[in-house]
Amino acid sequence: MRLRPDDDRGFSSHQAENGLRRALGIAGLTAGTRVLAENGWLPVEQVSEGDRVITLERGPERVTSVRRRTFGANLRTYWPNGLVYVPDNALGPADGFYLLPGQHVILRPDLARAMFDDPETMIPAAALIGIRGICRVMPIDLIEVIELRFAEEAIVEAQGGTMLRCPGASARVRSTPLRRRRVHSRAGAA
């Protein structure tokens, strides 16, 4: 995937707000992101229904469904400000990778304490822009987004230590450790 840094020029706050609403309804990891599976690290695009991925709450858990979507020219409809690029080692010992702006990230306790004085913090990836070199980028090529679903909401380890929220099969809200975590937004995130 080829990318370029992007800015907000050409989009009104109304367009950006509408795009954010649409984007928050789309979950998934970009192709190339590695997840910790029962048999080691796998690019998310190689994970299939029935594979077992390591989750924070329940250990190895079976993936109940995999949904793949490709975005090209319609990307700005969903993410008018682009994707979020996390450079090497910004959130832990990992190579750089890309996140959807609405993807919830569970911060390492040391980072969470420094940012929010709270060791268990979940934050949308877009709110991390401007921290440790994390920035916006706009893909030039097609991107593939892979959504892994589990029986219940789960937190999976990606890219060598970054914890990411994955949806459950049911739309019902359940009281799990994930639900009890505080979700923060960063006012004034660039």
Side-chain angles (χ1 to χ4, degrees), residues 9 15 30 34 36 39 45-46 48 65 71 146 157 169:
R9 285 178 284 170
Q15 287 171 311
T30 58
R34 295 182 325 265
L36 185 57
N39 54 346
E45 61 271 25
Q46 292 180 12
S48 301
S65 70
F71 296 91
I146 297 95
E157 187 173 351

Side-chain angles (χ1 to χ4, degrees), residues 7-8 19 27 30 32 50 57-58 61 65 67 73 82 106 117 129-130 139 156 158 168 175 183:
D7 58 34
D8 293 326
T30 58
E57 303 93 341
R58 295 174 293 279
E61 188 170 347
S65 70
R67 182 176 179 190
I106 291 77
D117 197 29
I129 293 169
V156 300
S175 179
V183 178

Side-chain angles (χ1 to χ4, degrees), residues 103-178:
Q103 173 65 53
H104 281 102
V105 178
I106 291 77
L107 297 176
R108 290 187 347 232
D110 59 325
L111 292 175
R113 259 192 209 94
M115 291 172 63
F116 299 106
D117 197 29
D118 181 357
E120 291 193 346
T121 299
M122 180 171 26
I123 189 168
L128 294 169
I129 293 169
I131 297 171
R132 295 183 165 204
I134 297 171
C135 62
R136 255 181 273 211
V137 292
M138 184 56 68
I140 296 170
D141 297 327
L142 297 175
I143 64 158
E144 183 179 20
V145 174
I146 297 95
E147 178 185 285
L148 303 179
R149 283 199 176 251
F150 297 89
E152 296 181 38
E153 283 186 348
I155 299 172
V156 300
E157 187 173 351
Q159 291 301 110
T162 303
M163 306 305 279
L164 304 173
R165 178 193 164 273
C166 289
S170 171
R172 288 182 291 160
V173 174
R174 299 173 189 226
S175 179
T176 65
L178 175 65

